[in-house]
Amino acid sequence: MKSLFSKSFWQERDVEMFIGQQLRWGVITSSIIAFIGGVIYLIKNGGNTPHYTEFVGAPEYVRHMPGILQGIARFDGMAIIQLGVVVLLATPITRIAFSILAFAMEKDWLYVLITLIVLGVITFSIFSGLGG
């Protein structure tokens, strides 16, 4: 067990605290963005009656990042909600990236390699377009 007053304990603790703060702020930020988008969506579409006889999925423009950004420029609530979802999905991915830095600081190269593989698989899955 590491001493409470050792340099290595505080370095590891700082990294854990930083990663914890990063996760917390990512969730809070995405929640605020999604809430703002929800309010805008309700202001613009709150009076519409939904059609329950036919399922209509998300529009095409909110299924990719350029469309989301264009929707945000038009002040579209659905695009802003989708940005909140993207931020929420990006939060654990950045946590993995910071874990690589933390493991590198500890010179734990096996975990750096494992974490790089995990990050590579996630990145490939997101950007390859193989999922459909």
Side-chain angles (χ1 to χ4, degrees):
M1 183 171 163
K2 294 179 183 178
S3 170
L4 179 65
F5 300 104
S6 69
K7 183 179 176 182
S8 63
F9 175 82
W10 285 107
Q11 285 176 342
E12 185 175 311
R13 180 90 176 133
D14 287 344
V15 171
E16 290 174 2
M17 293 289 287
F18 178 75
I19 290 173
Q21 290 286 333
Q22 181 265 329
L23 288 173
R24 186 173 301 125
W25 282 108
V27 170
I28 290 170
T29 302
S30 67
S31 299
I32 291 170
I33 292 171
F35 179 77
I36 291 169
V39 169
I40 292 169
Y41 182 81
L42 287 176
I43 289 171
K44 289 185 173 181
N45 302 310
N48 296 346
T49 304
H51 302 285
Y52 293 114
T53 57
E54 181 182 342
F55 175 74
V56 179
E60 178 63 28
Y61 71 94
V62 294
R63 295 182 186 177
H64 49 83
M65 202 59 198
I68 293 171
L69 294 176
Q70 290 171 357
I72 291 170
R74 292 189 314 263
F75 212 59
D76 181 51
M78 192 175 293
I80 295 171
I81 293 170
Q82 197 69 5
L83 178 66
V85 172
V86 169
V87 170
L88 185 63
L89 291 175
T91 299
I93 295 170
T94 56
R95 187 251 188 262
I96 293 171
F98 283 122
S99 295
I100 292 170
L101 293 175
F103 290 134
M105 288 171 53
E106 295 173 2
K107 299 185 184 342
D108 195 345
W109 304 116
L110 177 62
Y111 281 103
V112 168
L113 178 66
I114 292 170
T115 311
L116 277 171
I117 291 170
V118 169
L119 186 62
V121 168
I122 291 171
T123 304
F124 179 76
S125 299
I126 291 172
F127 295 112
S128 69
L130 296 176

